[in-house]
Amino acid sequence: MFTEVMITTALSPLRALEALRELVVPGGTVAVMSSEQGSITRNTESGYDLYKASKAAFNQAAHRPR
């Protein structure tokens, strides 16, 4: 279950970004949308721990400082 959720929620969106990379003009910006479920500090409700971990993994991997 862990692997399936990580592939679906974290890895696959990153693969999509990589596949579409050539469509971005030089110096262009790509925006991604996630959910508060992936926030470590703002997520205070219990439950859905595996999904939350996968969203946090995606957020961390997709984040690139300017």
Side-chain angles (χ1 to χ4, degrees), residues 3 6-7 11 16 19 27 36 40-41 45 48 52 54 57 60-62 65:
T3 302
M6 285 293 181
I7 288 172
L11 182 60
E36 203 166 281
I40 293 172
T41 57
E45 295 181 27
Y48 303 103
K52 291 176 184 179
S54 70
Q60 187 64 36

Side-chain angles (χ1 to χ4, degrees), residues 3-43:
T3 302
E4 289 178 26
V5 173
M6 285 293 181
I7 288 172
T8 300
T9 311
L11 182 60
S12 292
L14 293 170
R15 285 180 173 166
L17 286 172
E18 187 64 31
L20 299 171
R21 182 185 207 166
E22 293 179 13
L23 299 176
V24 181
V25 297
T29 300
V30 173
V32 296
M33 182 182 288
S34 187
S35 71
E36 203 166 281
Q37 296 275 337
S39 172
I40 293 172
T41 57
R42 297 191 321 200
N43 191 342

Side-chain angles (χ1 to χ4, degrees), residues 44-64:
T44 58
E45 295 181 27
S46 61
Y48 303 103
D49 295 329
L50 182 53
Y51 175 75
K52 291 176 184 179
S54 70
K55 292 304 288 184
F58 171 75
N59 291 348
Q60 187 64 36
H63 176 74
R64 292 211 177 149

